[in-house]
Amino acid sequence: MQDTHVGLAHGNGGRYMRELIQHIFVRHLGNPELDADADAVPVDCGAGDIMLTTDAFTVQPLEFPGGNIGSLAVHGIVNDLAVSGATPLYLTLAAIIEEGLAVAQLERIVAALGEAARRAAVRVVAGDTKVVRRGEAAGLYLSGCGVGVRARRQQLGMDTIRAGDALLVSGPVGDHGVAVLLAREEFGLMGQVESDCASVLPLTQALLAIPGLRFMRDPTRGGLATVLHEISRASGLGVELAQPAIPLRPAVQSVCEMLGYDPLYLACEGRVVAVVDADDAPRALQALRALPAGAQAALIGSTTTAHTRVVLSTALGGERCLEELEDDPLPRIC
Amino acid sequence: MQDTHVGLAHGNGGRYMRELIQHIFVRHLGNPELDADADAVPVDCGAGDIMLTTDAFTVQPLEFPGGNIGSLAVHGIVNDLAVSGATPLYLTLAAIIEEGLAVAQLERIVAALGEAARRAAVRVVAGDTKVVRRGEAAGLYLSGCGVGVRARRQQLGMDTIRAGDALLVSGPVGDHGVAVLLAREEFGLMGQVESDCASVLPLTQALLAIPGLRFMRDPTRGGLATVLHEISRASGLGVELAQPAIPLRPAVQSVCEMLGYDPLYLACEGRVVAVVDADDAPRALQALRALPAGAQAALIGSTTTAHTRVVLSTALGGERCLEELEDDPLPRIC
């Protein structure tokens, strides 16, 4: 491929588009199922429930410490399958490219996407590219679909949550949000925070072995607080959180204090929130902590019938109600 | 939902986003599998090969005679499965919405999407919405994935094409391209052409009953000429076309002559190109013509070992080589 920047002709269905697809996408994502000439491809899912999910990615900037929109897309989709109790198998990928995107940047992104897919043992089996004019996108949008298989009918779901269940988080919160924030360079702060962008499959597989597991979710857009609101709303229960127990990197805390963000509302891209029967909480915590990605896992609170809010007990003995997000604190984080 | 325009807060994972999803998407697309609260959903595909496809849609304007980006998205995905010999079952849908999009327009689009899905007997089982800032999209981009099932291992594929095979098209070409072109109102022409935007499943099902069927494709981006190039390149054969046999609406021909477009390169969104054994061509043509959508189906040419180009014989006895598309004649047509 000789062009250094993507042009509208790379989206026209003809020779330039074929070159772009072959030289960038097929080269980095090639696998037996990915047939760039097919309209649809057969996939073998083996036994079990076939699980589907989809996600779009509009993060800005496209590259940030710890990842880029390509690795983020893989992890975002893989993680939605993983927290549903499934093993991710296949991805599809649609790219909306703005005219003028540097081919070298596109290639870095697709290479990271391919690498993340290989590590997560998923294969990109179908794709589509569209090119839009300058000013009609912000470089690149990715969206995709994930197909996984759930080996047995896992009775996971927010409807299984009961009062007194324990709430666990697998690691520090807000890393991704702060990493992206700093990468925007709007604040003149040097970034010392990397995104936590990663597959959570090892964590969810460890948790699936715990009989008292009720529900798992990855706290992406809207962060930990939003997942807890979803749990509260769906279960009709309140949530009580112990602020000192919530793992938080000092660098994330400092940036949030300086800029006025609440880290509990900032996106993670490699964490799991799990609801487990209180009796199984120690085992679940142990299972998470046995993994490198779960070394800082913590029991952060519990569900209650005492109220229907999400209430945070602070280190100083105060209480603060975590409201549902209204304005977007940080657009285009994922 | 009280807001009349989409704002960034509708993309933040919180209350506004929940309202947008409930009031627009779930209301129009609701079905037993679509659980707006789930990260991934189980789908039952029955027996057969599971087929996957994906597509992104960036058509401009968002609404045009005969359809809108919502119905186009359903038909585009359904048709990729249909031409692969599959029965479409499920769709996933990701929407990238520009801040400021009128909620009423979004609702018209999602309603058309829901109606097209019901008619094609597919269910939207998963979705995602992102909102980007003004100037970072052109109203709305949709992308999605389709899951279908291929009841028996249909030996369809460009690798089965032989010299002397017949080329069929199911109806007039270029309608979608011209309808979108006129809807842009850049040319001061009144639009009397509707997009052919429709599911081709009835057509492909009829063709699947023909034993000599080799390959099917819907001629979207790049039009009929691009599909014929793909066939020529993959089979190593030449293609001979009889221009007078190619169905073309007079209105499409007039607009193309006025504006200097070649209709053979303009997108269709409800047509099928089929390659069949020459002996089965009459039966295939009869099967297509028995359907309302195939009333104007035609035998338009054949494959040959005489050369490896796509050659058009004109009504006046001349010959013209159809080159592979390089510049994009008409960006953002789908």
Side-chain angles (χ1 to χ4, degrees), chain A residues 2-334:
Chain A
Q2 303 205 328
D3 300 292
T4 57
H5 291 78
V6 176
L8 284 175
H10 287 107
N12 69 1
R15 182 167 71 85
Y16 287 113
M17 190 176 91
R18 188 158 47 81
E19 282 181 7
L20 179 77
I21 290 170
Q22 285 297 332
H23 285 256
I24 303 289
F25 290 93
V26 173
R27 191 146 63 86
H28 289 288
L29 308 178
N31 63 62
E33 279 94 354
L34 180 62
D35 176 356
D37 290 328
D39 286 299
V41 291
V43 290
D44 181 359
C45 294
D49 294 337
I50 295 167
M51 302 292 290
L52 279 187
T53 186
T54 190
D55 228 333
F57 301 88
T58 63
V59 66
Q60 198 67 18
L62 301 177
E63 300 175 279
F64 46 82
N68 64 33
I69 191 171
S71 57
L72 181 66
V74 170
H75 295 137
I77 295 170
V78 158
N79 291 350
D80 281 349
L81 290 168
V83 295
S84 304
T87 301
L89 296 176
Y90 304 106
L91 298 183
T92 69
L93 181 71
I96 296 174
I97 308 172
E98 186 184 16
E99 179 187 13
L101 180 69
V103 169
Q105 185 174 29
L106 180 61
E107 178 152 18
R108 283 197 301 276
I109 289 166
V110 177
L113 195 157
E115 177 61 23
R118 276 185 293 279
R119 283 185 187 217
V122 292
R123 296 207 266 197
V124 179
V125 294
D128 186 39
T129 57
K130 291 285 190 298
V131 179
V132 298
R133 287 176 298 196
R134 273 173 215 276
E136 294 182 338
L140 176 67
Y141 298 133
L142 292 178
S143 61
C145 175
V147 180
V149 67
R150 203 170 49 177
R152 57 194 178 86
R153 193 164 283 278
Q154 291 278 0
Q155 290 301 330
L156 299 180
M158 288 195 283
D159 54 337
T160 67
I161 297 171
R162 301 178 211 160
D165 281 351
L167 297 164
L168 278 66
V169 67
S170 66
V173 300
D175 292 11
H176 178 73
V178 167
V180 170
L181 195 69
L182 295 179
R184 288 186 188 161
E185 297 173 352
E186 292 165 11
F187 303 101
L189 294 174
M190 289 296 288
Q192 293 191 336
V193 178
E194 287 212 341
S195 168
D196 53 322
C197 187
S199 164
V200 299
L201 188 64
L203 298 164
T204 59
Q205 284 178 327
L207 287 168
L208 284 171
I210 308 296
L213 178 68
R214 312 263 201 238
F215 177 71
M216 300 186 283
R217 176 152 287 174
D218 51 331
T220 59
R221 229 180 331 176
L224 176 64
T226 297
V227 171
L228 298 176
H229 267 283
E230 289 163 350
I231 288 171
S232 170
R233 202 169 45 245
S235 67
L237 299 168
V239 168
E240 298 197 327
L241 286 178
Q243 185 171 38
I246 300 173
L248 193 62
R249 292 190 196 284
V252 169
Q253 187 161 19
S254 303
V255 171
C256 284
E257 281 171 3
M258 252 184 291
L259 301 177
Y261 288 103
D262 184 340
L264 303 185
Y265 291 89
L266 295 187
C268 310
E269 291 290 345
R271 307 293 177 224
V272 178
V273 177
V275 186
V276 295
D277 186 309
D279 293 342
D280 279 335
R283 284 179 59 192
L285 204 54
Q286 195 177 18
L288 289 174
R289 288 184 176 163
L291 294 164
Q296 296 185 62
L299 173 65
I300 59 171
S302 59
T303 54
T304 176
T305 53
H307 54 76
T308 57
R309 290 165 296 132
V310 179
V311 175
L312 186 75
S313 302
T314 65
L316 301 173
E319 279 199 348
R320 181 158 73 87
C321 185
L322 296 181
E323 300 295 343
E324 189 178 5
L325 206 54
E326 297 217 333
D327 284 332
D328 197 343
L330 204 53
R332 304 202 47 190
I333 206 73
C334 59

Side-chain angles (χ1 to χ4, degrees), chain B residues 5 16 32 39 82 99 119 130 153 169 178 229 252 290-291 318:
Chain B
H5 292 77
Y16 288 113
D39 286 299
E99 179 187 13
R119 284 186 187 216
K130 291 287 189 298
R153 192 165 284 275
V169 67
V178 167
H229 267 284
V252 169
L291 294 165

Side-chain angles (χ1 to χ4, degrees), chain A residues 12 37 136 143 217 326, chain B residues 12 37 136 141 143 217 326:
Chain A
N12 69 1
D37 290 328
E136 294 182 338
S143 61
R217 176 152 287 174
E326 297 217 333
Chain B
N12 68 2
D37 291 328
E136 293 183 338
Y141 298 133
S143 61
R217 176 152 286 173
E326 296 217 333

Side-chain angles (χ1 to χ4, degrees), chain B residues 62-106:
Chain B
L62 300 177
E63 299 175 281
F64 46 81
N68 64 33
I69 192 172
S71 58
L72 181 67
V74 171
H75 296 136
I77 295 170
V78 159
N79 291 351
D80 280 349
L81 291 168
V83 296
S84 305
T87 301
L89 296 175
Y90 304 106
L91 298 183
T92 69
L93 181 73
I96 296 173
I97 307 172
E98 186 184 15
E99 179 187 13
L101 180 71
V103 169
Q105 184 174 29
L106 180 61

